[in-house]
């Protein structure tokens, strides 16, 4: 590779740009983002529960009535974690089905306008995304009740 | 769009000798009915910018040379009609996820190296029959269908430019080589699955695909590389779980196998890949 050529890799921008913009691309990106979000929550969760080791006062200061983590910002954050989980789980099932070749259809002779595995897998995608959305809505109602 | 209209082409220019980074230049081009983006580039080269660099050969969607990013989508310039874009401006840039050699010319070398690594040809143990065939291998229409779709690939690189995994993982083989790994593994004449599995079942390998499926949405030939990649994963998983019933590569040849070389069968061509 000539050192004078220009590096035209999209990098992280490529998760959102540079393709044909099918909805599945955004599911791909959201899956990664929600995965990272859930991982961050998991690490924070360990930190918070560790506070119990420093005595009940520490624990209550964080999680007791009027504790630091009862602030509405953290409640909304917690709902976002639930939403991320709902999406990540539903999309994870979709990916397992697709990656095991169950929802992509059989090889066919390409005839224009082309029908691809995207079309073949749309039904599974829609059903699982609706299931994920239902989980998030029900979870949200539960948050509002408390 | 009427015949007397002009259409603007905004083209990304880059000269490795003089430019530290690409820049954009706009050209006004007379519109003609049936005009493709490649026609527009030729008009610019003839009339306004003789130094404009782009790659093409067949002009009919067969050779795969003219892959470019056109109005944000990777596709073939010769296969894209300006009128079909329904835009006042045609924005043309080189394919992303490759280095740019000059203007609209991407360096496709990494794609071809990855393609070569998956051994894109029939692999069999009976090399003698491969090099000096005594008759044709027998294949049913159903066996042909198992891989035919994936054999329409023209190596244009549009799928590689569209793939979000390619954008951040340079070690990932990419849709085209992975689809070809499946194309040959699914061929009933082939016995090279284990060898190709070693090449694709690795870190940053076939399992780095998570069905963003932009490759299939972008492919101008309907090859559907995302489908081939998922079928390759299925075969790898089923093979690992010993659920895949591997067939022997078809040994039967169409017609009578003779002891010597049958008349009328041409010599095998020279190897292009060693
Ligand atoms: S799979 Fe399609 S987009 Fe990719 S190189 Fe082949 S023809 Fe081009
Ligand atoms: S010039 Fe051959 S595919 Fe476009």
């Amino acid at each position: 590779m000539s050192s004078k050529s220009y590096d035209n890799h999209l990098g992280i921008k490529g998760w959102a740009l540079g393709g044909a913009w099918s909805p599945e691309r955004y599911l791909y990106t959201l899956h990664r983002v929600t995965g990272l979000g859930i991982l961050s929550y998991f690490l924070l969760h360990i930190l918070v529960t560790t506070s119990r080791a420093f005595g009940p006062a520490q624990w209550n200061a964080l999680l007791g009535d009027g504790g630091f983590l009862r602030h509405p910002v953290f409640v909304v954050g917690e709902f976002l974690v639930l939403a991320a989980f709902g999406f990540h789980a539903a999309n994870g099932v979709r990916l397992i089905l697709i990656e095991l070749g169950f929802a992509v259809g059989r090889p066919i002779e390409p005839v224009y306008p082309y029908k691809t595995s995207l079309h073949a897998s749309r039904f599974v995608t829609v059903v699982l995304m609706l299931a994920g959305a239902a989980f998030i809505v029900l979870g949200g109602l539960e948050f509002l009740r408390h | 769009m009427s015949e007397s209209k002009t259409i603007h082409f905004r083209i990304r220019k880059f000269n490795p000798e003089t430019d530290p980074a690409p820049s954009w230049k706009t050209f006004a081009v007379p519109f003609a009915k049936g005009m493709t983006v490649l026609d527009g580039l030729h008009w610019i080269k003839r009339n306004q910018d003789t130094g404009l660099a782009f790659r093409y050969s067949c002009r009919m969607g067969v050779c795969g040379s003219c892959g470019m990013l056109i109005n944000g989508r990777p596709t073939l310039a010769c296969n894209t009609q300006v009128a079909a874009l329904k835009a006042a401006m045609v924005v043309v840039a080189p394919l992303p996820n490759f280095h740019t050699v000059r203007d609209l010319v991407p360096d496709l070398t990494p794609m071809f190296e990855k393609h070569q690594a998956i051994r894109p040809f029939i692999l069999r143990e009976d090399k003698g029959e491969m090099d000096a065939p005594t008759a044709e291998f027998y294949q049913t229409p159903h066996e042909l269908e198992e891989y035919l779709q994936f054999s329409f690939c023209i190596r244009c690189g549009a799928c590689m430019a569209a793939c979000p995994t390619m954008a951040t993982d340079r070690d990932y083989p990419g849709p085209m080589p992975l689809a070809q790994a499946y194309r040959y593994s699914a061929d009933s004449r082939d016995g090279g699955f284990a060898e190709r599995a070693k090449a694709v079942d690795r870190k940053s390998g076939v399992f780095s695909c998570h069905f963003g499926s932009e490759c299939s949405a972008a492919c101008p030939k309907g090859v559907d590389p995302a489908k081939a990649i998922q079928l390759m994963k299925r075969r790898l998983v089923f093979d690992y779980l010993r659920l895949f019933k591997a067939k022997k590569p078809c040994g039967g040849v169409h017609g009578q196998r003779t002891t010597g070389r049958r008349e009328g069968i041409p010599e095998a061509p020279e190897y292009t890949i060693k």
Side-chain angles (χ1 to χ4, degrees), chain B residues 240-257:
Chain B
Y240 179 77
L241 298 173
R242 307 204 189 288
L243 294 173
F244 183 78
K245 279 190 233 98
K247 280 194 231 137
K248 268 176 82 77
C250 58
V253 285
H254 192 60
Q256 274 300 306
R257 197 187 274 267

Side-chain angles (χ1 to χ4, degrees), chain B residues 123-153:
Chain B
L123 292 165
R124 293 175 64 94
E125 274 172 6
D126 51 352
K127 254 191 128 272
E129 190 60 35
M130 292 289 291
D131 293 341
T134 55
E136 296 88 355
F137 290 112
Y138 177 73
Q139 190 166 60
T140 66
H142 175 71
E143 286 167 338
L144 175 71
E145 266 172 27
E146 292 295 316
Y147 70 86
L148 182 66
Q149 174 170 28
F150 312 125
S151 67
F152 284 100
C153 174

Side-chain angles (χ1 to χ4, degrees), chain A residues 31-47:
Chain A
H31 196 75
R32 293 191 156 193
V33 172
T34 51
L36 290 172
I38 293 167
L39 184 67
S40 317
Y41 172 79
F42 177 64
L43 297 174
L44 277 175
H45 179 66
I46 291 175
L47 275 181

